[in-house]
Every structure is written in structure tokens, then in C-alpha cells.
């Protein structure tokens, strides 16, 4: 079973994944920033509390000029842990169980993160100077005071987690809204494609009419697809009609030939005849069979030529042959007909070239064109064949006949087309010669066209890709009957 792919689902998932990744990065950045802000505010509160304790250190009102801690105006967190001592290590005040801290640091402020009974605390160790009786002549008695103050940091992480939860909920809501919006908007955007497919699905072998929907024509991205679809359908319609016409024409041709053979044999068997009459009847039947065989053979040839050509792995076509050699062989084959009509055949080929055609097909191409020219040429006229090599090979065949009418010119390369009476069954033509020539040229990626000469007569021009050979300095071949 073929795996189905939904563009709507892919686009929606892609946008949601990008949004989710962006939200994760944003939440990470917010977490780091929020932790930094909360810790900075927490450290500020520690400094304020430590400063309050420093302010609570007062004179002890004793003869030893000592200091004491007066906590009456100090309001601290009930979960806080602190220790206040002087330079002699005398504890002026404390609360809670103080962990092991480096109190003798030279830094005026030092923060420490410790764990007390499984709970995270952050401590500030502050050093300050208190002077007893500063109005004395000796400047009073200085006391170096050390304060270690800490409180739990749990609420810091609580604030950070609250921020993360807020942004996570906002992200989930945003993703949900985005998913619904994307599903709706993508369906709306792809609606012209759906309409175009629905219109294309309506086409069948009986109705080739195709009109692209307006929504598809107005969509800039779909215009090339609409144009390609219309062109492809037009080619398919022409090909289908050509195949249909070919089948009908072929059936008609074969049926006519078979009917002629059958009627000849029936006529021969209607009564007893002499040996000479039987001999003549069999000869006529054999001639009809030969024509029927020739028609079938040309149909097979045309079918073979219309098949895709095999390409080598190197990308080159299979065979090349000498076009000059094919022309000379064709002139030799048509010599009896030329002699019969006293037609002078002039060949002008100063150089040779190799064309990407099988040698038998090249001979068939040249023979069909030359025979067609001889059949259309009047008695005692001239048929001229010329080949030039300039950006490929160009073969021209001129005759002095009546030319081709504008109506026939558009159909002369169609199979079984006989617009000209001289190409009738009596002349031996099957109506496939020029069709085979066109198939050979197109198979070699060349072209063939027919037009009328200004001086009268027809001019057939064949252009083929070529692989030039070394120049051959030979006089033009001339066949004169």
C-alpha cells in the first residue's frame, strides 16, 4: 500500500515543531534570566538584613569598651540563620545552626551556598568596623565585626518555576491556536489545488475539455502548473486523436486490400478457367498480397520508429551512419523509376557527415523522399538532391512537379493521408512514406518540412544533428537517365 502524504499535516507539524523549539529556547533563556534577577534581588535582601545587624551592634556600656548586639529594632526572617562576632571571636548574637563558613575572608562581602538539613541556604559573610567612643582624643576603640547571615533560597526557585509554568501554559495555548489556524489556513490555501484536481479528474477519453478553475489561474504559484497541464492535455488529445485516426485508417487500408484479394479469388473460383486465366488470376492475387504485406511492413516500421530510442549509459545515441552513403544508395535504388520517367537526378554532396540514424532507417528516409519527388515529377524533368553541413546536416530534395497545396501541406506527414491523387493506391503508395520520414527525423531529434519552390515544384528540407567527418573532396555525384 502506497504511503499517503498530507501537505496540510506536514505544514502544520513543521510550524508547530518550529514554534515548540522556539518556545523551549525562549523558556530556557527566561529561566536563566529569571534566576539571575531573583538571585540578585535575594542577595540585595541579604545585604539589607546584614546591614541591619551591623547597625544593631552598639556600645556595651561597660568599662572594657566592648560592643553588644541590640535586636530590638531589627526584624529578620524567622527562618534566617545568623552569627555576629567581634575580632576576638566573641559572639554578639546568633540564630539557628550556622554551617562551616570561611568567616576570615579578606573580601568585604562573600556569598556562600550551603545545605542545612537538606534545605538550600544562601549566606552573606560581611565584615565591618564599629568604633566605641569615637569622640575620645585617641579616636575611640575600633572593633572589627563579622556577620554571617543566611536564609533559605527555596522561594527563589519557586519564583523561577512560576515563570516557567506561566510561559509553558502560554506556549501550549499558542500551539493549540496555531494548530487550529494552520489547519484551516492551509486548507484554504490549497483549495485552488483541490479545485484544479477535481477539474482534471473529470477529463476522460470521451471528453477532453479542460477549463482550469479561476482560483487556480489567479494563484501565481499554480499558473505554471495550469499552463503545463493544459499543454500536456492538448498534446495527449492530439496524440489520442492521431492514434484513433491511424487505427481507423489502418483498418480501412487492410480491409480494402483484404477485400480486393478475397474478391479476386472469389471471381477466379466462380467458374472453370483455363490454365492461363488461373495463372493470371494468381499473379494478380499475389500482387495484391504483396501490396498488403508492404502496408503491414510499413505500419510495423512506423510503430518501431515511434518507440523511444534506447540511450547508452554515456548519454549518446546508439548508431551513426554516413548520410552521403545513404543518399547514394537511395539514388541507386530509384534508378529504374528515374529511367522510366526520363528524370535527371543530380546529387550535390561535396562533404560527408554522420547522422544519429541507423543505416537502414537513413536509407529508408532518403529513398522515401526521393521516390516521392520522382512520383510528383513530370516526364523529362530534373530532381536535385543537395547536402550541406553547417551546425548539423541539411538535406534538400527539389522536384519540378506541381508542388503541394496549402491544404495538403498541413497533413502530408499524417499516416494514410492521400490528398494528392498521384499518391493513390494505383501508384503503389501506402500513404505511410512521409509519415515514416517524419518519425525517423524526430527519432534523431531532427525535423522535416515540405514547401513549394518559387520556380515551381516541391522542396523537402531535412535537418539532422550531425557529427562532422573530415572533408572528402569528391565531385558531385550525377545520375542522368
Amino acid at each position: 500500500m502506497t504511503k499517503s502524504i498530507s501537505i496540510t499535516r506536514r505544514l502544520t507539524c513543521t510550524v508547530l515543531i518550529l514554534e515548540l523549539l522556539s518556545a523551549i529556547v525562549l523558556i530556557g533563556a527566561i529561566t536563566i534570566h529569571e534566576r539571575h534577577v531573583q538571585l540578585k534581588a535575594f542577595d540585595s535582601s541579604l545585604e539589607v538584613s546584614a546591614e541591619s545587624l551591623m547597625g544593631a551592634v552598639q556600645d556595651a556600656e561597660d568599662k572594657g569598651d566592648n560592643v553588644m548586639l541590640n535586636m530590638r529594632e531589627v526584624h529578620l526572617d524567622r527562618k534566617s540563620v545568623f552569627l555576629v562576632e567581634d575580632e576576638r571571636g566573641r559572639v554578639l548574637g546568633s540564630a539557628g545552626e550556622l554551617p562551616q563558613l570561611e568567616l576570615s575572608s579578606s573580601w568585604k562581602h562573600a556569598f556562600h551556598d550551603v545545605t542545612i538539613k537538606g534545605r538550600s541556604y544562601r549566606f552573606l559573610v560581611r565584615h565591618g568596623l564599629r568604633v566605641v567612643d569615637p569622640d575620645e582624643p585617641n579616636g575611640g576603640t575600633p572593633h572589627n565585626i563579622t556577620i554571617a547571615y543566611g536564609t533559605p533560597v527555596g522561594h527563589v526557585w519557586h519564583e523561577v518555576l512560576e515563570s516557567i509554568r506561566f510561559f509553558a501554559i502560554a506556549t501550549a495555548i499558542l500551539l493549540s491556536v496555531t494548530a487550529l489556524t494552520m489547519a484551516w489556513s492551509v486548507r484554504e490555501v490549497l483549495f485552488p489545488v483541490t479545485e484544479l484536481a477535481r477539474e482534471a479528474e473529470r477529463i476522460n477519453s470521451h471528453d477532453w475539455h479542460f477549463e482550469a478553475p479561476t482560483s487556480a489561474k489567479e494563484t501565481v504559484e499554480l499558473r505554471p502548473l495550469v499552463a503545463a497541464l493544459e499543454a500536456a492535455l492538448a498534446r495527449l488529445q492530439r496524440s489520442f486523436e492521431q492514434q484513433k485516426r491511424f487505427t481507423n485508417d489502418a483498418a480501412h487500408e487492410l480491409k480494402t486490400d483484404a477485400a480486393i484479394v478475397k474478391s479476386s479469388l472469389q471471381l477466379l473460383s466462380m467458374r472453370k478457367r483455363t490454365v492461363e486465366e488461373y495463372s493470371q488470376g494468381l499473379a494478380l492475387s499475389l500482387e495484391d498480397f504483396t501490396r498488403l504485406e508492404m502496408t503491414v511492413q510499413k505500419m510495423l516500421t512506423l510503430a518501431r520508429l515511434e518507440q523511444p530510442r534506447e540511450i547508452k549509459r554515456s548519454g549518446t545515441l546508439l548508431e551513426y551512419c554516413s548520410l552521403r552513403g545513404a543518399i547514394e544508395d537511395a539514388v541507386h535504388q530509384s534508378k529504374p523509376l528515374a529511367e522510366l520517367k526520363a528524370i535527371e537526378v543530380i546529387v550535390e554532396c561535396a562533404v560527408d557527415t554522420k547522422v544519429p540514424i541507423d543505416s537502414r532507417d537513413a536509407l529508408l528516409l532518403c529513398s522515401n523522399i526521393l521516390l516521392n519527388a520522382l512520383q510528383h515529377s513530370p516526364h523529362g524533368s530534373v530532381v536535385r538532391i543537395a547536402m550541406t553541413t553547417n551546425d548539423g546536416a541539411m538535406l534538400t530534395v527539389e522536384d519540378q512537379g506541381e508542388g503541394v497545396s496549402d491544404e495538403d501541406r498541413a497533413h502530408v506527414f499524417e499516416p494514410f493521408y492521400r490528398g494528392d491523387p498521384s499518391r493513390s493506391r494505383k501508384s503503389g503508395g501506402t500513404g505511410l512514406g512521409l509519415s515514416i520520414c517524419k518519425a525517423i527525423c524526430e527519432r534523431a531529434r531532427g525535423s522535416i518540412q515540405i514547401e513549394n519552390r518559387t520556380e515551381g515544384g516541391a522542396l523537402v528540407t531535412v535537418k539532422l544533428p550531425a557529427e562532422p567527418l573530415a572533408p572528402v573532396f569528391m565531385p558531385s555525384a550525377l545520375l542522368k537517365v
Side-chain angles (χ1 to χ4, degrees):
M1 180 177 179
T2 304
K3 183 180 179 182
S4 60
I5 298 174
S6 171
I7 295 178
T8 302
R9 191 178 301 121
R10 279 194 170 188
L11 287 176
T12 303
C13 291
T14 301
V15 173
L16 292 180
I17 290 173
L18 291 177
E19 278 195 357
L20 181 61
L21 293 176
S22 301
I24 292 174
V25 174
L26 180 61
I27 290 175
I30 290 174
T31 302
I32 297 172
H33 174 73
E34 192 68 17
R35 178 179 178 278
H36 174 73
V37 171
Q38 291 295 334
L39 278 180
K40 190 174 181 180
F42 185 79
D43 292 344
S44 297
S45 67
L46 289 179
E47 290 179 350
V48 171
S49 298
E51 191 64 29
S52 298
L53 289 174
M54 182 62 73
V57 176
Q58 299 177 355
D59 296 341
E61 298 297 339
D62 56 10
K63 295 181 180 180
D65 292 333
N66 293 318
V67 291
M68 59 173 288
L69 184 65
N70 183 5
M71 297 291 292
R72 283 182 299 181
E73 300 297 332
V74 178
H75 301 285
L76 301 176
D77 188 340
R78 61 185 181 85
K79 298 180 183 178
S80 63
V81 175
F82 69 87
L83 174 67
V84 181
E85 65 180 17
D86 60 10
E87 69 278 4
R88 292 176 293 178
R90 190 167 64 92
V91 177
L92 303 180
S94 66
E97 183 180 352
L98 188 71
Q100 293 292 330
L101 297 175
E102 182 61 38
L103 301 179
S104 59
S105 173
S106 59
W107 295 93
K108 186 177 181 180
H109 294 75
F111 292 97
H112 301 273
D113 293 320
V114 296
T115 300
I116 301 176
K117 296 180 179 178
R119 200 169 189 179
S120 297
Y121 276 72
R122 186 169 176 84
F123 277 85
L124 168 64
V125 178
R126 184 183 186 284
H127 299 280
L129 180 63
R130 298 296 291 177
V131 180
V132 177
D133 299 331
D135 296 334
E136 293 291 332
N138 60 354
T141 304
H143 291 278
N144 292 319
I145 306 301
T146 299
I147 298 173
Y149 179 80
T151 57
V153 296
H155 73 282
V156 173
W157 288 110
H158 174 74
E159 295 295 331
V160 174
L161 291 177
E162 282 295 319
S163 298
I164 294 174
R165 187 170 66 175
F166 170 77
F167 283 105
I169 294 174
T171 300
I173 296 174
L174 179 62
L175 290 177
S176 301
V177 173
T178 302
L180 296 176
T181 305
M182 282 292 298
W184 176 81
S185 60
V186 171
R187 277 199 296 270
E188 289 296 314
V189 170
L190 294 180
F191 178 72
V193 179
T194 306
E195 269 199 319
L196 183 62
R198 191 181 300 123
E199 182 66 21
E201 188 179 12
R202 195 180 54 79
I203 301 171
N204 55 57
S205 59
H206 303 289
D207 184 8
W208 288 91
H209 177 72
F210 173 75
E211 178 65 27
T214 305
S215 58
K217 291 181 178 178
E218 292 176 347
T219 304
V220 176
E221 289 78 6
L222 289 181
R223 286 176 186 168
L225 176 60
V226 170
L229 191 57
E230 289 176 341
L233 286 173
R235 289 195 297 270
L236 286 175
Q237 184 178 7
R238 287 196 299 271
S239 176
F240 180 80
E241 292 175 350
Q242 185 178 358
Q243 291 293 331
K244 185 177 180 181
R245 186 168 55 249
F246 177 81
T247 303
N248 292 333
D249 293 343
H252 176 74
E253 290 287 331
L254 296 179
K255 182 180 178 182
T256 302
D257 289 340
I260 292 174
V261 173
K262 182 179 178 181
S263 61
S264 299
L265 293 177
Q266 286 177 338
L267 182 64
L268 193 62
S269 61
M270 289 180 65
R271 60 180 176 84
K272 290 186 178 180
R273 300 179 183 275
T274 63
V275 176
E276 290 75 13
E277 288 176 335
Y278 278 120
S279 178
Q280 293 176 357
L282 290 176
L284 290 175
S285 298
L286 182 59
E287 182 180 348
D288 293 334
F289 271 119
T290 303
R291 184 169 56 251
L292 178 61
E293 182 183 20
M294 183 174 60
T295 301
V296 173
Q297 183 61 41
K298 288 193 175 182
M299 289 174 59
L300 292 174
T301 301
L302 184 60
R304 175 181 61 81
L305 294 171
E306 290 179 346
Q307 294 296 321
R309 191 171 187 178
E310 183 180 355
I311 305 296
K312 288 184 175 180
R313 291 184 178 180
S314 59
T316 58
L317 296 173
L318 283 177
E319 295 184 33
Y320 281 78
C321 72
S322 167
L323 183 58
R324 180 192 173 100
I327 294 172
E328 292 176 347
D329 291 343
V331 171
H332 180 72
Q333 285 187 355
S334 62
K335 184 177 179 180
L337 180 59
E339 291 177 344
L340 182 64
K341 300 184 71 173
I343 296 176
E344 180 184 2
V345 179
I346 300 176
V347 180
E348 297 176 348
C349 298
V351 295
D352 194 8
T353 186
K354 292 174 69 176
V355 293
I357 305 177
D358 180 87
S359 58
R360 293 169 299 176
D361 292 340
L363 175 59
L364 186 60
L365 170 66
C366 298
S367 297
N368 285 346
I369 297 175
L370 182 56
L371 288 174
N372 188 69
L374 293 174
Q375 288 174 352
H376 287 75
S377 297
H379 186 84
S381 61
V382 176
V383 171
R384 186 179 302 275
I385 303 175
M387 184 188 69
T388 58
T389 55
N390 184 15
D391 192 20
M394 185 171 73
L395 171 66
T396 58
V397 179
E398 302 176 4
D399 62 55
Q400 298 176 341
E402 65 280 7
V404 184
S405 67
D406 294 338
E407 181 182 359
D408 293 341
R409 195 184 309 163
H411 304 285
V412 290
F413 294 109
E414 295 179 2
F416 300 112
Y417 181 78
R418 289 192 180 94
D420 191 328
S422 65
R423 298 176 65 201
S424 66
R425 185 184 302 276
K426 293 181 180 179
S427 66
T430 60
L432 294 173
L434 291 180
S435 300
I436 292 175
C437 292
K438 182 182 179 184
I440 292 174
C441 293
E442 291 181 346
R443 186 178 175 85
R445 301 171 185 174
S447 64
I448 181 173
Q449 62 179 8
I450 185 170
E451 56 190 348
N452 292 324
R453 298 172 60 231
T454 307
E455 304 82 2
L459 169 64
V460 178
T461 304
V462 174
K463 294 181 179 179
L464 297 170
E467 183 176 280
L469 298 175
V472 179
F473 298 100
M474 298 175 64
S476 299
L478 177 63
L479 175 61
K480 183 177 180 180
V481 181

